[in-house]
Amino acid sequence: MASTQKTKEPASGRTGRPTRQASQALSRKILRVARDVFFADGFGRSTAERIAAKAGISKRTLYARYGNKKLLFEAAILMEIEDRLSFLEQHVPEHGDVRLELEELSDELLSWMLTDIHVALERVVMAEAARFPALARNLYEFGVGRTTRLVAEVLRKAEEGEIRVSDANFAAEQFISSVILSPFRRAALGVGVTSHNETSSARMRQAVDLFVYGCRPSLKGSHP
């Protein structure tokens, strides 16, 4: 007698397992939703139920992918950082003028960082740093560490005679601290603008000029 059992559809069919591309798209959707919920509610008031509902998935699926709320929060912010820095790493300015290159890179970073959502997320990170020091450290090292390497690359490629730095990484750390992190943290503390406008652009250019002047080889004494 012939078997009446139906043949199962292949895994790539509609009822099969989702493709890798579909899975990645779902992950990005979840992380975008999570980012927005953390922004709106803060870390403490955000719930897995709310995030799952807004993403159109079950709480079980959410936990299967990210484990807990802390890991979800970290993943959401790391995705933001990865998206932007991956682009910048592939488009490092090259004008043959270190001042212009640093200004362009700073403009890109501040235009991205000085927005309501990124300032709000920074406030959440600052508020939770004491409870989750490893989380704060991972986010800092992943974001600031990669940004520092971007700036160090610009400094190393500077034309001979433009600047003189004995340690490009150290000099880049000082640049990031004064030119990028200072206005970002002022915004997070509510004492600075939360958008990259004419005022912040002018201050940025002044800070870049001060840094480049301080690294000029004609100056005597020690250099960064």
Side-chain angles (χ1 to χ4, degrees), residues 157-187:
K157 290 182 177 179
E159 294 289 334
E160 185 176 353
E162 283 189 288
I163 59 172
R164 180 186 299 156
V165 293
S166 59
D167 186 335
N169 287 326
F170 177 80
E173 288 175 2
Q174 307 313 303
F175 181 88
I176 293 297
S177 179
S178 62
V179 181
I180 306 299
L181 292 182
S182 177
F184 185 51
R185 285 173 177 160
R186 283 173 57 83

Side-chain angles (χ1 to χ4, degrees), residues 27 50 54 83 105 109 113 140 148-149 158 186 200 222 224:
S27 292
R50 175 166 159 75
K54 288 181 69 68
D83 284 351
L105 187 57
L109 287 166
M113 295 168 68
Y140 182 87
T148 298
R149 288 192 289 274
R186 283 173 57 83
S200 63
S222 60

Side-chain angles (χ1 to χ4, degrees), residues 73-123:
F73 178 64
E74 181 174 6
I77 297 183
L78 290 181
M79 182 187 70
E80 289 283 317
I81 296 172
E82 172 65 28
D83 284 351
R84 194 58 189 168
L85 293 189
S86 290
F87 173 82
L88 290 177
E89 286 167 348
Q90 297 173 36
H91 299 83
V92 178
E94 294 187 12
H95 302 300
D97 184 323
V98 70
R99 178 183 280 104
L100 290 179
E101 291 166 356
L102 291 173
E103 285 183 358
E104 182 176 324
L105 187 57
S106 298
D107 260 327
E108 289 284 348
L109 287 166
L110 290 175
S111 295
W112 170 59
M113 295 168 68
L114 289 179
T115 59
D116 287 342
I117 195 161
H118 291 119
V119 169
L121 289 172
E122 174 66 9
R123 288 171 179 157

Side-chain angles (χ1 to χ4, degrees), residues 37-58:
V37 171
F38 286 128
F39 162 58
D41 300 344
F43 183 85
R45 295 191 303 275
S46 300
T47 65
E49 289 83 359
R50 175 166 159 75
I51 294 170
K54 288 181 69 68
I57 60 174
S58 68

Side-chain angles (χ1 to χ4, degrees), residues 175 178-180 201-212:
F175 181 88
S178 62
V179 181
I180 306 299
S201 292
R203 288 177 63 90
M204 177 272 292
R205 289 192 296 272
Q206 286 180 320
V208 171
D209 284 345
L210 184 63
F211 175 84
V212 172

